[in-house]
Amino acid sequence: MANTFSFLDYMIFIVYGIIIVGVGLWVSRDKEGHQKNADDYFLASKSLPWWAIGASLIAANISAEQFIGMSGSGFAIGLAIASYEWMAALTLIIVGKYFLPIFIEKGLYTIPEFVEKRYSTNLKTILAVFWIALYVFVNLTSVLYLGALALETIMGIPMIYGVLGLALFAASYSLYGGLSAVAWTDVIQVVFLILGGLVTTYLALDTVSGGEGVLAGFKHIYEAAPDSFHMILDKAHDQYKNLPGIGVIVGGMWVANLYYWGFNQYIIQRTLAAKSLRESQRGIVFAGFLKLIIPLIVVIPGIAAFVMVNDGSIMASLGDAAQNNIPTMESADKAYPWLLQFLPTGLKGVAFAALAAAIVSSLASMLNSTSTIFTMDIYKPYFNPNASDKQTVNTGRISAAVALLIAGCIAPQLAGLDQAFQFIQEYTGVVSPGILAVFMLGLFWKKSTNKGAIAGVLASIPIAMYFKVAPNGWVTGTSLESIFVNVPFMDQMGYTAVLSALVIMLVSYLQNKGADDEKGIEISRKTFATGKVFNIVAYTICVLLVALYAIFW
């Protein structure tokens, strides 16, 4: 495809890059007579309006793992992978109603800070180390790899140069400007992301229908691949291990979503930077509303690609170019990059800018949050408690650069990985259930103790790894086999979260015999008060979600 990029496509992409870097540096400039402090660098001076928060949440969330990975899963699995997006909309409402009021009331910089206020400094440090490792070795690494894979597939750029280019692009404005640069450029990124994604979807469906339009394209892919539109997979499906049927709706998907949207630093950080609680809540329901349309731009193209490569007449009409890098069930992540080659001159540049926007915005967000956790939860308390504003900000920049360097060295080693979206979910799922249990009990059960929380989060890792790697010979052939042998990773997450919560409750009970923990937090009904706008949008999202699942059940 490298030869099909025109001068206009390159110019569009270059202009996009100049706009992003220019805006990022402009909004992050130091005002005359003002030294950038921790509030400025890590929380954008707590000045973000609702529309910037909502746009930034989506830009931070939608990355190569969605454009490349989720499109690949759409190719291999179908619309069922959209459960991650549609259930996220409902999760965002829960976060806005029940979690945000507490976090903002406590004046947090980082999610580990809540752990310190509720439990102890030791547990905060344990979780801070967990998160930094997760961001560097799973999130940053996989996003860099997938982005470089796209560059390699689309433009023929070698993997190592793609990783280097994306890393430098994200670093060029985010390391200097902090969250302010990240959030305000995200507003621009999300426009490129959605418009570019819709262009790709439109042209993919138009191509499938032989030029008869989007509606005809939808009808054709539904008739050609009806199994790709099942939202609930049965056990006979070869992808049941990734999306285990009804368990997606009532089981481990809730662990993934509540952890990601409620207790994930690089997501929740932009809500902590809001002007007010109400502004933050409005931003989060705006993001929830946008979530409803994301499958249209990341899943439907994957299904369209599946139909195209399995239809000889369509492939013949596409010419010789269609024979390059054809996606297969074994290399499903090639689906989205493969589709981009069929876009006309000019629109290739727009679509590629959308893909780059998704990658770079997520990289920038992860870098900023990694540096925030390291600086505020490790550097300041353990290395320099009296650090000045200048030292704090510089440490944030240096730690982000080091994280990016490590991730960049590891990213090329992921070559050959298929369905990277599932890889990210699976390995995040080793850590997230225990963390979720700690937070949920810390928020809503006053009797949970520090020792109980530490025991639960440490126990969650061997519990999760047992389900993942243990031979389970002792249950084979027994009634327990269906629970403990070859458990889908989403069910593993559900079991691990429940067992970790039970460990926390048991240790807490033995420690205090039912007495209230002295660090329990008081939560009044007033804390959860929300405005009419929040309620109206929340109810609308819930109705739309019910309708979507009813249609595609």
Side-chain angles (χ1 to χ4, degrees):
M1 180 178 172
N3 295 330
T4 68
F5 248 57
S6 70
F7 176 77
L8 179 60
D9 294 315
Y10 284 116
M11 284 303 300
I12 289 173
F13 182 73
I14 290 170
V15 168
Y16 149 76
I18 292 172
I19 290 173
I20 294 302
V21 174
V23 170
L25 294 176
W26 184 78
V27 300
S28 59
R29 71 195 188 285
D30 291 330
K31 296 178 176 64
E32 187 175 350
H34 176 71
Q35 169 69 48
K36 196 183 295 292
N37 58 36
D39 264 4
D40 298 328
Y41 190 79
F42 298 116
L43 291 181
S45 306
K46 294 189 177 180
S47 62
L48 297 182
W50 66 268
W51 48 271
I53 292 169
S56 189
L57 282 168
I58 295 301
N61 167 240
I62 301 301
S63 180
E65 65 198 69
Q66 267 80 13
F67 266 109
I68 306 296
M70 192 171 275
S71 289
S73 293
F75 183 96
I77 300 174
L79 191 62
I81 198 67
S83 291
Y84 278 98
E85 302 303 304
W86 287 340
M87 288 183 67
L90 183 57
T91 306
L92 280 163
I93 294 171
I94 295 171
V95 171
K97 174 72 174 177
Y98 295 107
F99 300 171
L100 274 188
I102 299 171
F103 295 159
I104 290 179
E105 179 187 338
K106 299 295 180 184
L108 304 181
Y109 278 90
T110 69
I111 290 299
E113 264 190 275
F114 171 80
V115 177
E116 183 174 39
K117 293 177 184 290
R118 176 59 180 87
Y119 293 110
S120 70
T121 300
N122 288 339
L123 181 56
K124 179 198 76 169
T125 303
I126 291 171
L127 293 185
V129 172
F130 272 11
W131 263 308
I132 290 172
L134 184 66
Y135 288 158
V136 173
F137 295 105
V138 177
N139 296 110
L140 279 170
T141 302
S142 57
V143 170
L144 277 172
Y145 162 71
L146 284 172
L149 175 66
L151 292 177
E152 187 175 56
T153 304
I154 297 168
M155 302 179 72
I157 297 174
M159 174 71 67
I160 187 65
Y161 295 120
V163 169
L164 181 62
L166 290 170
L168 291 176
F169 190 178
S172 63
Y173 65 92
S174 64
L175 264 60
Y176 175 73
L179 184 61
S180 181
V182 173
W184 288 110
T185 54
D186 278 352
V187 175
I188 302 171
Q189 305 267 38
V190 84
V191 173
F192 276 99
L193 188 155
I194 292 178
L195 289 181
L198 288 174
V199 165
T200 304
T201 300
Y202 171 82
L203 290 170
L205 292 174
D206 189 59
T207 300
V208 165
S209 67
E212 295 183 10
V214 171
L215 294 180
F218 265 117
K219 181 180 179 182
H220 182 81
I221 63 174
Y222 183 79
E223 292 174 349
D227 289 346
S228 293
F229 287 87
H230 292 165
M231 290 300 298
I232 306 299
L233 307 182
D234 58 39
K235 289 188 175 181
H237 198 287
D238 62 354
Q239 294 292 332
Y240 181 82
K241 66 182 184 299
N242 290 323
L243 291 169
I246 197 69
V248 170
I249 297 178
V250 299
M253 180 73 81
W254 283 107
V255 177
N257 274 324
L258 285 171
Y259 161 77
Y260 181 87
W261 293 103
F263 309 114
N264 185 350
Q265 178 68 26
Y266 89 84
I267 290 297
I268 211 71
Q269 187 167 342
R270 50 258 305 126
T271 65
L272 302 178
K275 293 179 178 179
S276 65
L277 172 59
R278 177 165 292 187
E279 204 78 358
S280 182
Q281 289 177 322
R282 287 179 175 179
I284 213 165
V285 294
F286 175 50
F289 196 81
L290 291 177
K291 266 292 176 184
L292 298 178
I293 67 172
I294 294 301
L296 183 64
I297 65 177
V298 297
V299 179
I300 295 300
I303 299 175
F306 174 79
V307 172
M308 291 166 70
V309 301
N310 286 284
D311 188 317
S313 61
I314 293 178
M315 291 295 287
S317 69
L318 294 175
D320 294 339
Q323 305 306 315
N324 298 323
N325 295 307
I326 298 176
T328 65
M329 295 302 264
E330 291 73 34
S331 58
D333 283 341
K334 291 182 178 179
Y336 197 85
W338 179 77
L339 281 174
L340 293 188
Q341 67 183 304
F342 306 116
L343 299 180
T345 296
L347 290 181
K348 280 193 184 78
V350 174
F352 189 55
L355 180 58
I359 297 164
V360 173
S361 61
S362 292
L363 282 174
S365 297
M366 292 172 188
L367 285 173
N368 184 255
S369 294
T370 302
S371 69
T372 304
I373 292 177
F374 178 82
T375 303
M376 305 306 292
D377 296 322
I378 296 178
Y379 170 74
K380 280 199 76 172
Y382 293 106
F383 295 99
N384 193 354
N386 300 314
S388 65
D389 284 330
K390 184 176 182 179
Q391 289 173 317
T392 301
V393 172
N394 286 340
T395 299
R397 290 168 177 161
I398 293 169
S399 58
V402 171
L404 188 60
L405 180 63
I406 294 171
C409 292
I410 298 173
Q413 311 308 314
L414 298 182
L417 184 68
D418 183 43
Q419 290 200 60
F421 181 78
Q422 298 293 350
F423 163 81
I424 295 168
Q425 303 306 319
E426 187 168 349
Y427 283 92
T428 301
V430 173
V431 176
S432 58
I435 295 175
L436 179 66
V438 167
F439 274 95
M440 295 301 286
L441 291 173
L443 283 169
F444 303 117
W445 191 50
K446 286 181 62 177
K447 296 177 182 179
S448 61
T449 66
N450 176 53
K451 288 184 179 178
I454 292 176
V457 77
L458 293 180
S460 70
I461 303 299
I463 291 172
M465 294 308 296
Y466 172 80
F467 285 120
K468 185 173 293 294
V469 303
N472 302 301
W474 63 279
V475 296
T476 303
T478 72
S479 60
L480 297 175
E481 181 173 359
S482 63
I483 298 177
F484 290 103
V485 178
N486 297 321
V487 179
F489 82 88
M490 199 171 287
D491 289 344
Q492 294 173 19
M493 292 170 65
Y495 297 153
T496 303
V498 171
L499 291 174
S500 299
L502 289 175
V503 170
I504 295 171
M505 295 172 72
L506 177 61
V507 174
S508 297
Y509 175 77
L510 294 175
Q511 182 183 353
N512 59 28
K513 296 297 184 182
D516 284 355
D517 178 51
E518 62 179 9
K519 282 204 172 187
I521 57 175
E522 296 292 338
I523 304 174
S524 67
R525 290 178 62 85
K526 185 178 179 182
T527 303
F528 300 133
T530 52
K532 290 182 179 179
V533 173
F534 180 93
N535 290 327
I536 290 171
V537 178
Y539 293 148
T540 302
I541 289 173
C542 290
V543 170
L544 289 173
L545 285 170
V546 170
L548 286 168
Y549 274 92
I551 291 170
F552 295 112
W553 190 278

